[in-house]
Amino acid sequence: MVCSLYDHMHYLENNWELYDGRTSNHYLSDLVGYLYLCSFFNLTKKASWCFDQIQAEMRKQVFSEGTSYEGSTAYHRLVTELFLHAYMLARESHMHISDDFEQRLTNMGHFIAWCSPRQNTMVTIGDHDSGRVTAVSITQAMQALVPQSTAIGIKTFYEFGLSCVKNTLWHITLRHHAYQKKQPSGHFHNDAGSMTLAMRGIPVFIDPGSYVYTPSVFWRNYFRSAAAHTTVT
């Protein structure tokens, strides 16, 4: 098993998922897996380099408001979990963690809270492939590492393109157009103007646009079209 782990580390060193400069959760997953391996093999310099890259990806992939630039709530949860794993390892290894990294990580948790009609349930905006680092995903112990906030009232995430209304009775979201050239667009849908609605945590209107992700070109395009969303066509 140790030899297999070393082979994985060697493979990552020679196969970083870097394409046209617009990195995504793929490259971040490479880095977090590599950080675990460097920690396991006690490779301090490589681990330090890796965490510097992870912090750079935080500045690149996560807006200052704390939202993932891939434009998907499900992928936002995945990259939050990845960054939390890196954060825990860095703290344990006494690495330097920038204030900006910690603030954006905190803001990522706030976004999840705003997008949750009830505990452990997020609205689905954009693609959803059920990706997680571990089966339990983000645990309460991991959440306790960053300051929590009460998501009550009205909040707009301008860079992500989502407005939320949340109180003890209602949870409403409205998707609006937001896109910058530096963002990868593979997980976006034609969903501007679509809404979700939940009452006492029970979904009434949902965003159904992620039913099919990759198997069929026809259905993939249909389920990310405006016709498959709760918007005007």
Side-chain angles (χ1 to χ4, degrees), residues 19-26 57 60-63 68-72 127 175 178-189:
Y19 305 109
D20 60 356
R22 292 183 293 182
T23 51
S24 68
N25 65 92
H26 290 222
E57 288 304 306
K60 182 178 182 180
Q61 295 192 33
V62 179
F63 295 121
S68 168
Y69 81 159
E70 292 192 68
S72 157
D127 281 342
R175 182 79 159 125
Y179 183 71
Q180 302 174 22
K181 288 184 178 180
K182 69 175 183 177
Q183 293 176 253
S185 58
H187 297 309
F188 279 77
H189 290 187

Side-chain angles (χ1 to χ4, degrees), residues 88-103:
M88 289 189 296
L89 273 173
R91 281 180 38 150
E92 187 175 295
S93 303
H94 305 290
M95 297 180 184
H96 172 71
I97 304 172
S98 70
D99 292 341
D100 180 73
F101 182 91
E102 290 189 311
Q103 185 59 59

Side-chain angles (χ1 to χ4, degrees), residues 1-207:
M1 182 174 286
V2 173
C3 290
S4 177
L5 289 172
Y6 189 85
D7 287 344
H8 277 74
M9 186 177 71
H10 179 72
Y11 181 86
L12 283 169
E13 289 176 335
N14 293 277
N15 292 277
W16 299 113
E17 292 180 84
L18 294 166
Y19 305 109
D20 60 356
R22 292 183 293 182
T23 51
S24 68
N25 65 92
H26 290 222
Y27 180 53
L28 180 60
S29 299
D30 296 342
L31 289 170
V32 174
Y34 189 70
L35 184 63
Y36 265 109
L37 290 165
C38 290
S39 177
F40 178 78
F41 288 109
N42 199 27
L43 302 173
T44 307
K45 288 185 177 180
K46 288 186 175 183
S48 179
W49 168 86
C50 184
F51 188 63
D52 285 344
Q53 292 295 307
I54 290 171
Q55 293 196 93
E57 288 304 306
M58 172 68 89
R59 294 189 297 271
K60 182 178 182 180
Q61 295 192 33
V62 179
F63 295 121
S64 58
E65 66 183 12
T67 56
S68 168
Y69 81 159
E70 292 192 68
S72 157
T73 52
Y75 277 94
H76 173 92
R77 183 177 59 190
L78 172 61
V79 298
T80 301
E81 186 184 357
L82 286 163
F83 281 123
L84 278 167
H85 276 271
Y87 181 63
M88 289 189 296
L89 273 173
R91 281 180 38 150
E92 187 175 295
S93 303
H94 305 290
M95 297 180 184
H96 172 71
I97 304 172
S98 70
D99 292 341
D100 180 73
F101 182 91
E102 290 189 311
Q103 185 59 59
R104 292 187 193 226
L105 186 58
T106 297
N107 292 345
M108 294 182 83
H110 293 172
F111 181 66
I112 291 175
W114 277 101
C115 290
S116 301
R118 62 180 186 273
Q119 190 172 6
N120 300 321
T121 302
M122 284 184 71
V123 294
T124 300
I125 306 295
D127 281 342
H128 188 355
D129 72 344
S130 304
R132 297 181 179 187
V133 180
T134 65
V136 293
S137 192
I138 300 173
T139 65
Q140 290 184 337
M142 293 168 75
Q143 290 176 334
L145 294 172
V146 295
Q148 302 296 303
S149 70
T150 302
I152 295 292
I154 301 173
K155 178 76 171 178
T156 297
F157 296 90
Y158 291 97
E159 292 173 298
F160 185 89
L162 191 70
S163 294
C164 305
V165 178
K166 185 175 181 180
N167 55 44
T168 55
L169 180 62
W170 299 103
H171 185 272
I172 305 166
T173 67
L174 176 67
R175 182 79 159 125
H176 45 88
H177 178 74
Y179 183 71
Q180 302 174 22
K181 288 184 178 180
K182 69 175 183 177
Q183 293 176 253
S185 58
H187 297 309
F188 279 77
H189 290 187
N190 188 9
D191 57 359
S194 65
M195 61 166 290
T196 69
L197 170 66
M199 184 177 180
R200 294 192 177 94
I202 300 171
V204 180
F205 296 120
I206 65 169
D207 185 317

